[in-house]
C-alpha cells in the first residue's frame, strides 16, 4: 500500500480485509510485525486521538514513531513556493517534508483546511503540495476534506455493533458548535456510509449543504454498493427508522471563509443539539456516533453520551485498531 | 495488579517483592517482558522525572508509551460535570479519559491538588473522578495527597543504603520554599516510613502540621509494623540519632488555600534550609533524601547536596526501577 | 565508546568504520541490536532533524528514547553554580543532568553557544559543565563550537556521492542570513573536510574570519591527512574546480556578542546567496551541501536547492544513519 489517503481508493473487499485484520490484531497481537520500523508523524494541526492512537499502534506492532509539530521548534515552516525567506520562518516544507519522511518507513500527515477558499480546499491543494514532496508511503491523518482513518474506524465500529451494511439507515446530522469547523469529517463520513451500502440521509439546516461534488461522490459510491443518498432539513423525516445518527458540526458552505456570516447563520440553530427527543421515530436501538472531541450540552446532550445509544468510546478505540491494520499492510513483511 | 494508587493497599511482603523485582530487573534486564504493551501517560500536571522515568521504564521492558498533556493540544479539557461546553474547552474528561486509557494496557495519571479546599484534596475527589472513568489498570503518578511511585522508590533507596527498617530513625522535615507546594509527597513519605517500621518524626514549624487524618493513617501503619510516629517543631530533638532526613516543603495547613496567609507564615521560616549544622546530634552517617526538584540554597545547602550525605540521585534513579517492577507485575504475562 | 563529542577524537580509520557500519545498518537492519536500551535526549536548544533522527535511530535498533527540553516543564533549569534558587528556576542542572542521564544507557545533549564571549564558547565552558555531571556515555548533539553528528553524516554523504577524499576540493562558504548564527557547524565542517584529506577553502567576507584556533586545528588535521586549508574573500578564486560548496551563515567574529555591529556588517553582504552564477569555474559536477534548516532565496537560490547540485536531502538522511552507527558502537553488545 503506497498511500492511505481516501477510502475511495479501496474496493469494499479491500476494506473488509483491513477491518478483519484490525480485529485479528486486537485478538491476536503481533508485537514483532513491524520490528524496527519507524512511522514519522507530522502534525501541522493539533490532535489528541490521532497523536495517541498512532503512537500506540506502532508500539503494539513492535515499531515506533516520532512526532514533529511546528510548535515543538523555533523553526516556523514556510509553505509558499518561490518566496525569499527573510521573515520568521527558518525552514521551507520543500526541505522539511522529504527530510522528515526520510527518517521513517512511512509518514502520517495532518493538515486541516485553510477554509479561505472552498475550491482550493476541495482540491486538497495544500495536502497534495505536502505529499508530492514525499517518496515514502503516507497516511492521511486528516486533510482539508478527508479523514480516511476515522472512516475506516467508523465502518469497523458499525460492523462490531451489528449495524447492517445494505439497507442500514444512516443519518449524518449537522449540529451546533460555537466555532466554524472543517468539512473533513462530514465529507469522509458521508462517502464512507454510502460506500458501505447504507441508506444515507444528510440532515442539516439550509446554508450548511455539503458541496455538490461531495454529494456526487457519495451518490456514485452508493450506486455501486446498493445504497442511497438524500438530504433534508427535516429532522423527523431524516430520523425515521434510523439505526445510526452520526453528529458533527461543520462550517456553513454558503458563507465559507466568511466568519461573521457563518456565525450569524449558525447561531439561528442553537437547538441542533442531539437529545433523546430526536429519537422518537428512529429504530429503537439507534446508536449515536461522533468522531470526538465533542462539546457536551452543545453538540449532544449528556443523556445521550452517557446512555446506551452512545458508541463513541469503542469508535475512538477503533481508530487505533484500524490504523494498526493500515500500518500492517503498508509496512509489514508481506507488503 | 489492578491499580497502584497507594502503598497502603499492599502488604509489607508485597512491597518487598516489588523492590526485589526492581533490583532484579536492574541486574538482569528483561527487554521482552512487555513486548508490544502500551502505557498511556496523562499529565494534567507538569513533570520531569516522572515523564522521563516512565518512558524509559517501558522501553527497558520492551514496550512503549505515549504522553498526553493538555498543553500539547488546543483542546482544553473540561472536568466539571453536567456543564454546557460553550466556552474554550473542546473536550470533556468523560470522553478523554476512557479514550486515552483505551489505547493503553494501563494508564498513568498525574493531577496535583487544587489546594482550594483541604477536605476535597484529602478525599482525592478530583483523582477519583478521573480513575472512575477508566477500565484499564492505572498508576497514580502523583495525586492531591499521594505519590506511591516516589514512596516505593524511597523505600528501595533506604534498603539499598542499609538503612534499617525496624528501629531506623527517619525525620521528615518541612523546609522553606518561596511557593506553597502540595502535600502529596509529605503525605506519602510519612506513611511509607511508618509502614516500613521506622521511628518517624515530623519536624515542622507551627502552622505546617500535617492533617490529623494523615497522622492517624501513619500511626496505624506504624502500629502494624513496629514503628512510631511523633511530631515536633524542635530541630535538635527531632534530629537526635536520625539516620535519614527527608526534606520537603509543603503548604501551611493552617492557611490552606489562602495564598497570602500561607506566604506570611512561611516567610518567618527562611532559616529552614537544611545544612550541616542540622546534623550535630544525628547519626554520623545520616543521609539526606529529597524527591526533587529541589531549590539549592533555599530548601537545602549546596554542601549537603554535593556532599556524602546526599542520596538524591540514586533515589531518583530508583523511580525508574520501582516503576519497572510495578509495570512488570501489572502488565507482565504472569499477571 | 565513552563519548561522541568531536571527530578529532577518532582516527580516520575509526571514522571509516563508523561510516561502513552506517551503510551496513541501512542495507541490513538490526532491529534487535539495542533491545531494551534507552537513549536520554536533552534539548537545551531547539531541533527538528536531531530530534527526529535520534528517535528514529533508536527505534530502528530496537531500543527507544525520551526527550526532555526545558519548555516541556514548568521547571526552569538553573545553570549558575552556588546560587540561591529563590527565583523562577525550580531545578539545578547539578540534579537534572545526572538524573536524566541515569534513566538512559547514554545521553545526547544539545546546548548552543551563548555567544556573549568567544573565549568561553571556544572553551566549550557550558557544554563541559553539563557533561562533567554525567557518568553515562554521551553524544554531542551540537555544542557551542561542535556538531560531530553532522560532520560524520557529511563525511558519509561525500563518500556516497563519490567525492574524493584526497585531492577533493571543498569550499566552506559563509552566506547571508538575517540572524547572527552560532559557529558550531562551520567549525565542525572545516575540521571534518580537512581531516578527510581535502583541499579546503574557507570563503567569507572580512569580519567573518573563523577563529584562529579553529583554523589551526583544521590545518593540523589537514597536515596529518594530506589535505590543505586556505581562506579568502574572493569567490572566483575559491570556487575554482570546487567539487563541494558547503554553505552556512555564521556570526561575525569581529563583532562577536555585539548584535548591532554584527547586523550592520552582515547587511553589507546580502549578495552572499549561493546561485548558479557561483559555479562558473567550479567542477562541472560540483555539489551543494547545507546542514539545514536553510532559508531559500536568502542563503541559497531555489534553482540550486531544486536542481541536481543539491544533496541536502540525502545529507539529512545520513544524520540518522551516522547516529545509528555511533549508538551501535556505544551501546551494542560488542561494545
Amino acid at each position: 500500500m503506497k498511500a492511505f489517503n481516501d477510502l475511495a481508493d479501496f474496493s469494499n473487499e479491500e476494506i473488509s480485509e483491513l477491518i478483519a485484520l484490525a480485529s485479528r490484531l486486537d485478538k491476536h497481537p503481533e508485537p514483532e510485525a513491524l520490528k524496527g520500523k519507524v512511522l514519522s508523524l507530522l502534525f501541522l494541526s493539533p490532535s489528541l486521538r490521532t497523536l495517541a492512537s498512532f503512537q500506540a499502534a506502532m508500539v503494539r506492532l513492535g515499531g515506533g514513531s516520532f512526532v514533529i509539530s511546528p510548535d515543538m521548534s523555533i523553526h516556523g515552516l514556510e509553505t509558499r513556493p518561490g518566496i525569499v525567506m527573510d521573515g520568521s520562518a527558518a525552514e521551507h516544507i520543500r526541505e522539511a517534508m522529504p527530510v522528515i519522511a526520510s527518517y521513517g518507513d512511512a509518514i502520517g500527515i495532518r493538515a486541516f483546511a485553510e477554509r479561505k477558499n472552498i475550491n482550493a480546499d476541495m482540491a486538497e491543494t495544500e495536502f497534495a503540495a505536502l505529499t508530492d514532496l514525499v517518496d515514502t508511503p503516507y497516511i492521511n491523518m486528516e486533510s482539508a476534506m478527508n479523514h480516511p482513518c476515522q472512516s475506516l474506524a467508523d465502518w469497523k465500529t458499525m460492523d462490531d455493533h451489528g449495524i447492517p451494511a445494505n439497507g442500514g439507515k444512516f443519518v449524518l446530522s449537522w449540529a451546533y458548535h460555537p466555532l466554524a469547523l472543517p468539512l473533513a469529517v462530514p465529507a469522509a463520513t458521508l462517502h464512507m456510509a454510502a460506500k458501505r451500502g447504507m441508506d444515507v440521509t444528510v440532515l442539516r439546516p439550509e446554508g450548511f449543504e455539503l458541496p455538490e461534488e461531495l454529494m456526487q461522490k457519495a451518490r456514485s459510491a452508493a450506486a455501486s454498493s446498493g445504497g442511497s443518498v438524500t438530504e433534508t432539513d427535516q429532522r423527523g423525516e431524516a430520523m425515521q427508522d434510523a439505526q445510526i445518527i452520526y453528529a458533527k458540526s461543520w462550517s456553513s458552505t454558503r458563507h465559507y471563509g466568511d466568519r461573521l456570516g457563518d456565525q450569524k447563520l449558525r447561531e439561528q440553530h442553537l437547538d441542533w443539539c442531539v437529545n433523546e427527543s430526536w429519537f422518537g421515530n428512529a429504530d429503537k436501538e439507534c446508536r449515536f456516533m461522533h468522531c470526538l472531541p465533542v462539546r457536551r450540552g452543545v453538540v449532544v446532550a449528556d443523556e445521550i453520551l452517557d446512555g446506551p445509544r452512545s458508541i463513541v468510546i469503542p469508535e475512538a478505540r477503533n481508530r487505533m485498531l484500524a490504523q494498526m491494520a493500515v500500518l500492517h499492510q503498508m509496512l509489514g513483511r508481506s507488503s
Side-chain angles (χ1 to χ4, degrees), chain A residues 46-334:
Chain A
S47 170
L48 187 151
R49 260 152 295 276
T50 303
L51 181 68
S53 60
F54 267 108
Q55 290 181 81
M58 285 303 291
V59 171
R60 290 190 185 282
L61 296 170
S65 58
F66 64 86
V67 176
I68 296 293
S69 70
D71 55 330
M72 294 169 61
S73 167
I74 51 160
H75 310 138
L77 285 182
E78 178 61 64
T79 57
R80 291 165 292 177
I83 201 159
V84 172
M85 292 172 60
D86 54 4
S88 64
E91 180 147 26
H92 200 281
I93 56 160
R94 289 187 69 89
E95 277 69 54
M97 284 301 303
V99 168
I100 293 168
S102 80
Y103 298 145
D105 300 287
I107 183 168
I109 305 169
R110 166 169 281 209
F112 289 174
E114 291 197 71
R115 284 185 300 122
K116 288 179 185 159
N117 180 300
I118 198 163
N119 293 327
D121 287 347
M122 284 296 299
E124 298 281 12
T125 316
E126 192 194 352
F127 198 75
L130 296 172
T131 56
D132 281 354
L133 296 167
V134 161
D135 280 332
T136 53
Y138 70 89
I139 296 173
N140 180 330
M141 303 199 299
E142 189 172 337
S143 62
M145 292 288 169
N146 225 326
H147 198 351
C149 296
Q150 184 66 52
S151 287
L152 185 61
D154 290 341
W155 187 314
K156 177 177 187 302
T157 304
M158 289 193 281
D159 286 1
D160 293 348
H161 287 82
I163 309 297
N166 289 298
K169 176 87 196 287
F170 186 99
V171 177
L172 170 63
S173 179
W174 186 86
Y176 176 73
H177 187 289
L179 304 173
L181 299 183
L183 275 71
V185 168
T189 304
L190 167 61
H191 173 265
M192 175 276 296
K195 184 176 174 71
R196 194 168 177 265
M198 303 182 82
D199 295 318
V200 185
T201 304
V202 182
L203 170 63
R204 77 290 169 280
E206 277 191 56
F208 291 90
E209 296 80 6
L210 291 175
E212 181 52 27
E213 194 180 327
L214 293 178
M215 296 300 289
Q216 282 291 5
K217 180 179 172 188
R219 278 189 214 108
S220 155
S224 300
S225 57
S228 67
V229 175
T230 56
E231 56 182 328
T232 179
D233 60 359
Q234 298 300 310
R235 196 173 296 162
E237 178 190 322
M239 289 296 290
Q240 180 75 43
D241 301 322
Q243 290 169 290
I244 294 288
I245 177 167
Y246 195 111
K248 183 76 188 76
S249 194
W250 62 81
S251 300
S252 165
T253 42
R254 186 181 294 165
H255 299 285
Y256 202 82
D258 163 17
R259 205 165 59 84
L260 287 178
D262 179 297
Q263 191 178 332
K264 210 172 153 190
L265 184 60
R266 74 175 46 238
E267 281 176 0
Q268 294 168 29
H269 302 292
L270 292 166
D271 61 322
W272 285 65
C273 172
V274 181
N275 62 33
E276 190 55 36
S277 77
W278 288 41
F279 292 82
N281 60 354
D283 184 283
K284 234 193 324 187
E285 310 243 299
C286 181
R287 304 288 201 159
F288 176 85
M289 297 180 74
H290 191 285
C291 62
L292 305 183
V294 68
R295 286 174 176 249
R296 290 178 160 245
V298 174
V299 165
V300 56
D302 286 17
E303 63 188 10
I304 302 299
L305 279 173
D306 298 331
R309 296 199 187 280
S310 173
I311 52 175
V312 299
I313 305 300
E315 182 186 0
R317 181 167 184 269
N318 272 329
R319 288 289 308 277
M320 178 176 72
L321 299 173
Q323 291 157 12
M324 284 169 70
V326 169
L327 290 163
H328 194 280
Q329 279 207 4
M330 193 173 259
L331 300 177
R333 270 167 221 139
S334 58

